[in-house]
Amino acid sequence: VAKLLPKLDSLTQVALIDALDQRDDPAAVPEIAALAKNAVAEVQVAALDALGNLGDDKDVSLLIEVAAKGDAGQTAARQALALIHRGTPNQALLKLLSRSKTESQVEIIHALNNRGATEAVPQLLRLATQANEPVGTAVFQALARLVDQPQLNALVQTVGEMPTEFGRASAADALGSACRHIQNRHGTVDLS
């Protein structure tokens, strides 16, 4: 049934994508993924929504590419990145992080943050001192949410290592937010 997708008009494509998504069968992913860059916005959004449920870690790079474009599919791609659960999507995102361009790095960091990917903290801390402003802003937003007690001292150290005043201010804001989150989760913050 999925092989019919390229031959159908856009309205029927959307309906068929939704039906395939409801079947919860990942066998349809290749045909659906081929439509994720579709010029017809409704088809693209339906395909991206379905990939959030049916896709796996191999679809992460496509979703990042669409999200980084910033067109009509950006919101759906971001939502799919937050929802995708088959395979190891967090590891796929981390592999893409260091070799991506700025726009993609920002989207990867947002996805890791939205997914609550605490395993990303060490890589984000390393990236923080080297990142340009858009990436650095995304890094510190993520660190503010993802850092827990064991990584708090590393974030304190990062504040002092930032090469610019803007970076130090962003890192300090992230540290303050992280402390509030840790306080809410554990009832106390240990800075020893």
Side-chain angles (χ1 to χ4, degrees), residues 58-183:
K58 292 182 280 310
D59 300 303
V60 165
S61 60
L62 168 68
L63 294 170
I64 289 296
E65 182 182 335
V66 174
K69 278 186 183 176
D71 62 10
Q74 184 179 51
T75 300
R78 286 177 172 174
Q79 185 173 4
L81 284 162
L83 297 175
I84 200 164
H85 58 279
R86 299 174 198 261
T88 54
N90 289 354
Q91 284 73 28
L93 287 164
L94 287 170
K95 283 181 186 173
L96 289 172
L97 184 57
S98 62
R99 58 186 172 163
S100 296
K101 294 182 180 179
T102 298
E103 298 81 15
S104 295
Q105 281 186 320
V106 169
E107 292 299 331
I108 292 165
I109 295 163
H110 285 315
L112 290 164
N113 189 9
N114 291 335
R115 296 178 62 78
T118 56
E119 67 268 32
V121 169
Q123 192 167 342
L124 293 175
L125 285 167
R126 285 191 300 276
L127 183 60
T129 57
Q130 309 158 11
N132 60 31
E133 192 172 320
V135 173
T137 299
V139 164
F140 287 118
Q141 287 172 351
L143 287 172
R145 178 173 177 232
L146 300 176
V147 164
D148 206 350
Q149 190 66 58
Q151 301 98 5
L152 194 56
N153 287 333
L155 183 55
V156 170
Q157 185 177 348
T158 301
V159 174
E161 293 174 353
M162 294 306 297
T164 66
E165 187 60 39
F166 175 80
R168 281 187 292 282
S170 297
D173 289 345
L175 177 61
S177 294
C179 287
R180 285 189 293 281
H181 290 296
I182 292 168
Q183 177 76 32

